[in-house]
Amino acid sequence: LAAAGANQPVYDIPYSIRMENGDIISRTMTSAGAASPHFTYSTWFKKSDVATHQFLLWWQAKAVHTNAVVELCWFATNIFRFNLWTGGSSSADRYSSEKFQDPGAWNHFVMQWNGATVAIYQNNQLVNMATGGDIVSQSWGLQTGNIMRVGSSDAATSILGYMADSYFIEGQTLAPSNFAAANEDTGQWLPIEYEGTFSGNSFYLDYKDASDLGKDVSGLGNHFTTTAIAADNQVLDSPTNNYCTLSPLSKRTDGSQVVTLLEGNLKSTTVSVGGAGNNEVASTMAVSSGKWYAEHYVISVGSGSVWTGICKSEFPHNESMETSTNCVYYLEGGGKRVNGSNSSYGDTYTTGDIIGIALNLDDNELTFYKNGTAQNSGTAISITADEYVFTWGKGSGNPSTVWNFGQDSSFAGNKTAQGNGGTGEDFFYTPPAGFKALNTDNLDDPSIVLPTEHFNTNLWTGTGGTRSLTGVGFQPVFTWIKSRSDGLQHMLFDSVRGATKYLVSDAADAGATDATQLTAFDSDGFSLGSGTVVNGTSKTFVGWNWKGSDTPTKTFVVTVTNPGSGNRYTLDGKVSGTNAMPITIEEGGTYTFDQSDNSNSGHPLRFSTTANGTHGGGSEYTTGVTVSGTPGSAGAKTVITVAASAATLYFYCTAHSGMGAQASTPGSGGGVSDLSGTTASVVNANTTAGFSIVSYAGSGSAGATVGHGLSQTPDLIIIKNRTAITNWVVNSPIIDSGFTKWAMKLDIDQAISTDSTIWNNTAPTSSVFTLGTAGESNRNNPDNYMAYCFHSVDGYSKIGSYTGNGATDGPFIYTGFKPAFLMVKLVTAASGQWAMFDNKRDPFNATDRVIYANLTNADTDVSSYYPYDLLSNGFKSRIPAGNGNEANYNTNGQTYLYLAFAESPLKYANAR
């Protein structure tokens, strides 16, 4: 069942209808409608082909014109078209500026006609239909004897994909909210039960009766006749349970052969266009844990080699899967290929055989089945822990296969009962015990269900006066602001430095303070002053916002040592010279000072608002403080929850003078001391979302380590000296595993380069990163630094790399979520800007508004060559070689680093 929020009823759509060219759903009108009707058409659609003219709805019309035809369709360029044809020519139409080419998930489309204008919505977002001829004053209707078709205009122009829950409501113009609603917990746009009325030529097709897929269940009896449609057209794939298919966006074609996908992207075949070559295609979903089963039916092995199996989701997209060290295959000749090496395995297979693939990522094993029998006597193939997609490929010849991920076993001409094996899915053979179909119901729940609770983008127009911006959804601790309309600097603010302090990403400038720019981080956004760079009158802006820790908690392990001038409290093994280590403990957090070590005997730790507490004429501070046990004994501790607006505190020993130090108490978001490195740091870490802000002072010592506060090794570290004019430095173990390079500079378009003085040739760990002596990262002048650290979180964020291919059909990069933000940088060549995209400036594809982190340029419209599609399961490059801009996005053979944050994990994603 579909997930539901507190006020949203559960509404399950169990089936859809899968259509191909030749499939027709048609009805001849038996009653006339109004000459200028109002109507609404609502349907769910999962697209298979992304480059074909397809029809969602078509009908003959009675209007001021005769022999008129109305069309709601896609062009082959993937734009929406609403059109009225009369006398064989287009008399009125509208085209969308957006492109719809996401085959990985379901869309909801609603078309409204109010008698004069048309409006089309995708997933409750109004589509821009401003391009094209005039449709105002045009009128048309339905008349007796006219024909209406759902999903096609004729046998040659059927939709290629899946439809579900199709409504035509005559006489009413209804909002999308009559048919669907946003889930309160996940944000996903999901179907709800229509509670309105039907009249006249209205109908409702739910496709639940496999014996009559044109049945109208509105109660009006407006049934449709089907042509070339049988029970096999009904499948389990639906808007409330999206199934895996093969992906037309994730295939490799060598130029001499073409991979063609049919039957809802479950049938795969190749067509020669001259010569031979390797071709492969991958699935729309990847998995990194659990047990998964899929079936591969062999229509024909052709004249050459065939392989089926799995590949790592991030295998290089210009690399042959056949020889890749990232793939494991079962060959038609009976062998296996593991990481590019062949060996014997099982039986040969050929036309008519069904290959089962059981992927066990709990135990990192892979087993292949032939016609229900486990190969290699059931001994599994060992694989490395990773994230995998299902794949199929071939060498020479033109083989064909059909896949089943649990939605349809009809490929063998002997469809079994749905629910085979008690799994609730439709497999031909019963899967091994514990193995599941690959669909969104079965995907693991992500650790972050609603990504906008941790990262969000907002847009605004400047007023030139003080104001508070709300709607972010949380209190940010890091906000990056850029003017969209003007060539102004990027402004980067974080709560650890304090709201009015900023850095600029487009220059090597030191940090600065300006009380007229961002003035406060608020509970649902931030406040701005009158500063032109963030709030100039009539200028437009974008802000990217990251959430920090909720309520900080930390335990400091206390020992008592003598560093050279008497006893001192030593926290986590650290002192500052011969004195106790000053620390920072943020307001609202709870901090435990563990005095269990026997060295604490006779040294009770307490707090005061004056240095040295009662030894300096002060008094003990007790607000929010609890004390347990006897120092030096197990369980002894002093715990403090720092009150709001608390004064600067000091920790001290009640029995001895001079043992303690200062405990600064910044406000919300100000950070907490991390003493895990040789250099102390102050950190605000959102460990759930894999993001931390780190402030530290340079030591000038090669090999100095700094605690980053995350729960695992960062995948990306960005550092800026905020005291001096130096370049930003960026690195990632994904592109530099040993951190032997400084990798890149955020403020310029420099390629990766070697410099051991930045990172001391030492990779980061799960607790610290290591520094050399360079001014960019660790100069003792004294210089102060900020580091922003990120690691990937399944379903929420991804730091990775891809290799360009220089083609319009560029590489597809699987993220496992629908991106809300994407930053890309060319790594291996001397130029390439830091390109930034998001779903607020571009709510639809094509994603063609770019801001460069290293330039002050205004938001740039690059629609003439748009760089990427942001999709339900990742993103795809669209830049061909030779257009003058591909260096930033898709140069053949070059490596690109990317940072992406999610709008929605794939489990809950709608198509874009």
Side-chain angles (χ1 to χ4, degrees):
L1 296 179
N7 299 314
Q8 182 178 335
V10 171
Y11 182 73
D12 180 45
I13 297 179
Y15 303 111
S16 66
I17 184 171
R18 182 182 61 213
M19 296 185 68
E20 293 285 327
N21 281 334
D23 295 341
I24 297 177
I25 305 173
S26 180
R27 175 176 176 256
T28 300
M29 300 295 111
T30 57
S31 64
S36 299
H38 292 219
F39 64 81
T40 304
Y41 180 63
S42 167
T43 192
W44 288 84
F45 181 56
K46 181 177 176 180
K47 196 172 188 180
S48 296
D49 190 283
V50 294
T52 304
H53 199 172
Q54 303 176 53
F55 288 81
L56 281 176
L57 188 67
W58 177 97
W59 75 92
Q60 294 173 314
K62 177 181 72 174
V64 293
H65 307 285
T66 57
N67 299 318
V69 173
V70 179
E71 301 175 337
L72 175 65
C73 64
W74 276 284
F75 268 2
T77 52
N78 293 301
I79 60 174
F80 238 128
R81 178 181 182 180
F82 180 77
N83 191 31
L84 172 65
W85 286 79
T86 57
S89 63
S90 176
S91 62
D93 57 24
R94 278 288 186 268
Y95 297 90
S96 71
S97 57
E98 294 85 8
K99 292 179 179 287
F100 302 92
Q101 45 197 24
D102 186 346
W106 283 82
N107 276 298
H108 182 223
F109 289 103
V110 171
M111 180 185 71
Q112 302 169 342
W113 173 253
N114 65 8
T117 59
V118 66
I120 294 176
Y121 294 83
Q122 181 209 24
N123 301 326
N124 203 36
Q125 291 184 300
L126 183 64
V127 175
N128 179 12
M129 300 291 289
T131 304
D134 182 29
I135 61 173
V136 177
S137 299
Q138 302 291 343
S139 57
W140 53 83
L142 301 169
Q143 62 181 343
T144 303
N146 280 176
I147 296 173
M148 175 179 281
R149 295 193 179 113
V150 174
S152 69
S153 66
D154 54 37
T157 54
S158 300
I159 65 166
L160 304 179
Y162 306 81
M163 282 198 310
D165 242 31
S166 301
Y167 292 87
F168 182 82
I169 310 295
E170 189 175 38
Q172 304 176 63
T173 49
L174 301 175
S177 58
N178 287 273
F179 310 97
N183 182 280
E184 292 183 349
D185 299 323
T186 67
Q188 185 179 13
W189 188 247
L190 286 171
I192 60 174
E193 184 174 2
Y194 173 65
E195 297 180 343
T197 59
F198 299 92
S199 63
N201 289 298
S202 299
F203 63 82
Y204 170 33
L205 305 180
D206 64 4
Y207 311 112
K208 290 182 180 180
D209 186 346
S211 66
D212 185 4
L213 291 170
K215 180 188 291 185
D216 170 30
V217 294
S218 71
L220 298 179
N222 292 326
H223 303 300
F224 283 72
T225 299
T226 59
T227 302
I229 291 176
D232 291 353
N233 289 76
Q234 185 196 67
V235 294
L236 292 173
D237 203 336
S238 85
T240 55
N241 190 15
N242 180 30
Y243 272 79
C244 181
T245 68
L246 301 178
S247 173
L249 304 182
S250 187
K251 59 185 182 181
R252 177 181 179 272
T253 297
D254 70 354
S256 64
Q257 305 235 330
V258 176
V259 175
T260 300
L261 298 179
L262 302 168
E263 297 183 15
N265 288 339
L266 294 176
K267 182 177 180 179
S268 177
T269 186
T270 58
V271 179
S272 293
V273 292
N278 292 343
N279 297 270
E280 296 100 359
V281 62
S283 61
T284 57
M285 295 183 185
V287 285
S288 58
S289 63
K291 297 179 179 180
W292 307 96
Y293 181 75
E295 293 176 328
H296 169 200
Y297 172 64
V298 182
I299 299 175
S300 169
V301 297
S303 60
S305 58
V306 175
W307 49 89
T308 187
I310 60 170
C311 277
K312 295 177 183 178
S313 63
E314 285 197 334
F315 70 89
H317 285 71
N318 60 349
E319 170 185 292
S320 170
M321 299 180 196
E322 179 187 21
T323 58
S324 174
T325 58
N326 297 289
C327 303
V328 181
Y329 283 113
Y330 177 21
L331 308 175
E332 102 287 346
K336 68 176 185 289
R337 180 176 293 123
V338 180
N339 301 330
S341 178
N342 289 0
S343 59
S344 60
Y345 178 64
D347 298 331
T348 62
Y349 59 87
T350 188
T351 300
D353 289 328
I354 298 175
I355 306 304
I357 307 169
L359 175 59
N360 179 354
L361 290 170
D362 292 339
D363 302 309
N364 297 318
E365 295 177 341
L366 180 66
T367 301
F368 292 98
Y369 291 75
K370 176 185 173 182
N371 300 328
T373 301
Q375 298 300 285
N376 197 32
S377 300
T379 302
I381 302 169
S382 294
I383 59 176
T384 57
D386 214 299
E387 182 178 68
Y388 289 94
V389 289
F390 289 89
T391 58
W392 171 82
K394 46 76 61 182
S396 59
N398 298 303
S400 296
T401 67
V402 177
W403 281 72
N404 175 25
F405 296 95
Q407 66 268 68
D408 180 25
S409 67
S410 63
F411 47 65
N414 184 21
K415 187 179 181 75
T416 58
Q418 292 173 343
N420 183 3
T423 64
E425 289 108 9
D426 181 15
F427 285 112
F428 192 86
Y429 290 103
T430 302
F435 283 75
K436 299 179 291 185
L438 189 46
N439 57 45
T440 51
D441 269 5
N442 288 334
L443 291 178
D444 291 340
D445 292 337
S447 59
I448 295 176
V449 172
L450 197 59
T452 52
E453 293 180 346
H454 294 269
F455 170 85
N456 210 349
T457 302
N458 60 334
L459 307 176
W460 67 94
T461 300
T463 63
T466 58
R467 62 191 301 197
S468 294
L469 289 172
T470 59
V472 170
F474 53 84
Q475 179 172 317
V477 296
F478 180 39
T479 295
W480 182 329
I481 296 175
K482 176 67 179 76
S483 170
R484 302 173 58 201
S485 56
D486 294 80
L488 303 174
Q489 288 196 298
H490 294 252
M491 303 286 280
L492 281 65
F493 303 88
D494 67 67
S495 60
V496 173
R497 284 176 296 138
T500 60
K501 297 178 173 60
Y502 68 90
L503 294 165
V504 295
S505 67
D506 50 84
D509 298 357
T513 301
D514 187 339
T516 70
Q517 307 296 339
L518 190 146
T519 58
F521 293 103
D522 304 325
S523 60
D524 187 27
F526 47 87
S527 295
L528 301 176
S530 58
T532 300
V533 188
V534 300
N535 194 28
T537 302
S538 299
K539 300 181 188 298
T540 57
F541 298 88
V542 58
W544 300 291
N545 304 275
W546 286 262
K547 183 179 182 293
S549 60
D550 285 318
T551 303
T553 59
K554 186 174 180 63
T555 296
F556 295 96
V557 176
V558 183
T559 56
V560 176
T561 62
N562 190 325
S565 59
N567 288 336
R568 297 289 184 268
Y569 282 129
T570 301
L571 305 183
D572 294 346
K574 303 295 190 305
V575 291
S576 178
T578 58
N579 298 308
M581 176 70 72
I583 58 170
T584 297
I585 48 176
E586 178 185 324
E587 290 177 7
T590 298
Y591 310 96
T592 299
F593 292 78
D594 182 350
Q595 286 199 280
S596 297
D597 187 83
N598 60 15
S599 64
N600 288 283
S601 180
H603 300 292
L605 184 149
R606 301 291 186 269
F607 295 94
S608 177
T609 57
T610 59
N612 212 14
T614 54
H615 305 292
S619 59
E620 182 179 340
Y621 178 86
T622 59
T623 302
V625 179
T626 58
V627 177
S628 303
T630 302
S633 301
K637 59 187 177 183
T638 299
V639 180
I640 181 171
T641 299
V642 180
S645 302
T648 296
L649 299 176
Y650 298 83
F651 59 97
Y652 73 103
C653 175
T654 60
H656 304 92
S657 175
M659 286 184 60
Q662 181 174 306
S664 299
T665 56
S668 177
V672 179
S673 288
D674 186 311
L675 306 180
S676 54
T678 59
T679 296
S681 59
V682 175
V683 175
N684 185 306
N686 183 340
T687 54
T688 300
F691 167 63
S692 68
I693 303 169
V694 182
S695 174
Y696 67 94
S699 67
S701 300
T705 57
V706 178
H708 52 66
L710 298 177
S711 59
Q712 66 186 65
T713 302
D715 293 316
L716 183 71
I717 302 175
I718 304 172
I719 291 179
K720 180 65 180 78
N721 184 327
R722 58 188 173 109
T723 304
I725 299 175
T726 62
N727 295 114
W728 293 74
V729 289
V730 186
N731 210 345
S732 168
I734 291 168
I735 56 173
D736 181 21
S737 59
F739 264 53
T740 60
K741 304 172 173 66
W742 63 18
M744 295 153 291
K745 301 179 179 180
L746 185 64
D747 50 305
I748 58 178
D749 63 356
Q750 178 176 311
I752 193 168
S753 58
T754 301
D755 188 337
S756 63
T757 67
I758 301 293
W759 309 101
N760 205 51
N761 290 349
T762 306
T765 70
S766 59
S767 59
V768 300
F769 56 86
T770 302
L771 303 171
T773 59
E776 290 88 348
S777 62
N778 192 30
R779 181 166 54 202
N780 182 17
N781 205 25
D783 286 1
N784 294 313
Y785 295 83
M786 297 304 299
Y788 304 99
C789 303
F790 305 86
H791 69 69
S792 299
V793 175
D794 287 347
Y796 167 75
S797 65
K798 190 74 173 286
I799 298 100
S801 66
Y802 68 90
T803 303
N805 65 6
T808 304
D809 185 14
F812 168 78
I813 296 86
Y814 184 88
T815 60
F817 55 77
K818 182 179 181 180
F821 172 90
L822 176 66
M823 182 162 68
V824 176
K825 176 66 174 74
L826 173 64
V827 172
T828 49
S831 63
Q833 315 300 336
W834 291 86
M836 305 168 77
F837 306 88
D838 64 68
N839 64 341
K840 297 298 176 63
R841 289 178 295 140
D842 273 316
F844 297 93
N845 287 318
T847 303
D848 54 17
R849 302 211 64 87
V850 63
I851 288 174
Y852 300 111
N854 56 301
L855 300 175
T856 59
N857 297 25
D859 186 2
T860 303
D861 181 352
V862 291
S863 56
S864 61
Y865 63 85
Y866 75 98
Y868 297 104
D869 281 334
L870 302 182
L871 305 163
S872 56
N873 56 353
F875 62 97
K876 185 173 179 67
S877 170
R878 295 288 184 182
I879 292 289
N883 70 5
N885 298 284
E886 78 275 7
N888 288 332
Y889 314 107
N890 191 29
T891 298
N892 187 36
Q894 299 294 343
T895 299
Y896 294 81
L897 178 72
Y898 68 86
L899 168 65
F901 292 95
E903 173 186 334
S904 178
L906 177 58
K907 184 177 178 73
Y908 308 122
N910 297 108
R912 257 182 66 109

